[in-house]
């Protein structure tokens, strides 16, 4: 067995998948003896802890990102990890709700931003967002998840709005940066494990 295969098996077992689980992407990396699989494993492992975020927050960010990206294996993994970190069912539901809400918001506000027509900013959005008012995860962390998901979804207007809100709440730029880093690495993992 090759070193690449060993690393892939460790990576898969780390997320609760069988050692022989393969996607087309993983197979191509394995056949090419890609050195990238070591980076992928280390990068993904770094999503579980942070100097700026608690393990619980890392778990919820990972879960929200996995839900946003429609990635079943990572959703299962991060749900279990969130439970292990003491997340309540309500906090887990907030992570899921955040991904769903931001899917609509990111499309809608990206449209407004792209068109740059004043008329569209005057028409009410009519998108219910009650979850943002009193989230189980707390207002600051829900904003942080919203920013990370908006970054993944590529909504400049939403990223700027959430980042501004977070800075006004006193959130450090390092905390913001790490949340987006985690979301980006979970998204990266989802390109080969899905």
């Amino acid at each position: 067995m090759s070193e690449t295969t060993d690393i892939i098996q460790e990576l898969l077992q780390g997320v609760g998948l069988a050692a022989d689980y393969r996607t087309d992407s993983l197979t191509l990396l394995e056949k090419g003896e890609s050195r990238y699989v070591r980076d992928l494993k280390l990068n993904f492992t770094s999503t579980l802890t942070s100097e700026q975020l608690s393990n619980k927050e890392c778990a919820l960010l990972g879960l929200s990102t996995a839900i946003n990206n429609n990635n079943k294996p990572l959703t299962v993994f991060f749900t279990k990890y969130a439970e292990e970190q003491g997340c309540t069912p309500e906090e887990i539901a907030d992570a899921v709700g955040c991904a769903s809400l931001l899917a609509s918001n990111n499309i809608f506000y990206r449209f407004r931003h792209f068109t740059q027509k004043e008329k569209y900013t005057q028409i009410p959005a009519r998108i219910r967002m009650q979850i943002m008012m009193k989230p189980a995860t707390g207002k600051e962390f829900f904003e942080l998840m919203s920013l990370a998901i908006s970054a993944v979804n590529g909504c400049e207007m939403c990223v700027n709005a959430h980042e501004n809100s977070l800075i006004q709440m006193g959130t450090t730029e390092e905390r913001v940066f790490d949340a987006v880093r985690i979301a980006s690495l979970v998204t990266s993992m989802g390109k080969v494990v899905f």
Side-chain angles (χ1 to χ4, degrees):
M1 198 174 337
S2 73
E3 181 183 2
T4 301
T5 299
D6 289 342
I7 295 168
I8 288 172
Q9 289 179 346
E10 290 171 19
L11 177 68
L12 292 170
Q13 290 170 340
V15 295
L17 294 170
D20 63 348
Y21 174 92
R22 292 295 184 274
T23 60
D24 291 343
S25 302
L26 276 175
T27 300
L28 292 170
L29 289 170
E30 188 173 25
K31 281 174 69 175
E33 295 287 324
S34 177
R35 292 173 297 168
Y36 174 66
V37 296
R38 181 177 300 284
D39 292 340
L40 182 65
K41 179 183 173 214
L42 293 172
N43 287 341
F44 185 74
T45 302
S46 80
T47 67
L48 306 179
T49 60
S50 163
E51 293 178 12
Q52 306 300 322
L53 304 160
S54 70
N55 289 1
K56 184 176 179 178
E57 290 171 328
C58 291
L60 291 170
L61 277 164
L63 176 58
S64 193
T65 305
I67 294 285
N68 179 73
N69 296 343
N70 213 17
N71 187 298
K72 186 172 181 170
L74 295 182
T75 296
V76 169
F77 170 78
F78 278 109
T79 300
K80 183 178 178 205
Y81 185 59
E83 291 167 345
E84 290 169 356
Q85 299 308 310
C87 293
T88 65
E90 293 81 11
E91 290 168 329
I92 290 171
D94 267 8
V96 174
C98 180
S100 178
L101 174 61
L102 271 292
S104 65
N105 283 4
N106 293 159
I107 291 168
F108 181 79
Y109 289 103
R110 208 166 45 225
F111 163 77
R112 277 187 171 176
H113 178 75
F114 287 164
T115 61
Q116 298 182 4
K117 287 189 174 180
E118 183 65 28
K119 178 69 176 178
Y120 294 130
T121 64
Q122 297 169 356
I123 301 170
R126 296 183 56 213
I127 298 173
R128 300 266 312 165
M129 296 184 247
Q130 290 300 309
I131 191 172
M132 287 184 149
M133 304 317 284
K134 288 187 180 178
T137 56
K139 182 94 172 114
E140 188 269 352
F141 184 70
F142 197 89
E143 281 285 334
L144 199 59
M145 276 195 301
S146 298
L147 175 117
I149 297 304
S150 295
V152 170
N153 292 341
C155 181
E156 179 183 355
M157 181 181 258
C158 296
V159 165
N160 288 331
H162 291 297
E163 195 266 352
N164 185 52
S165 178
L166 285 160
I167 297 302
Q168 287 180 0
M169 288 180 189
T171 303
T172 65
E173 290 170 330
E174 289 81 9
R175 188 167 159 78
V176 168
F177 187 87
D178 221 24
V180 174
R181 180 190 66 83
I182 288 170
S184 74
L185 293 174
V186 171
T187 299
S188 172
M189 177 70 153
K191 300 298 180 187
V192 296
V193 174
F194 49 87

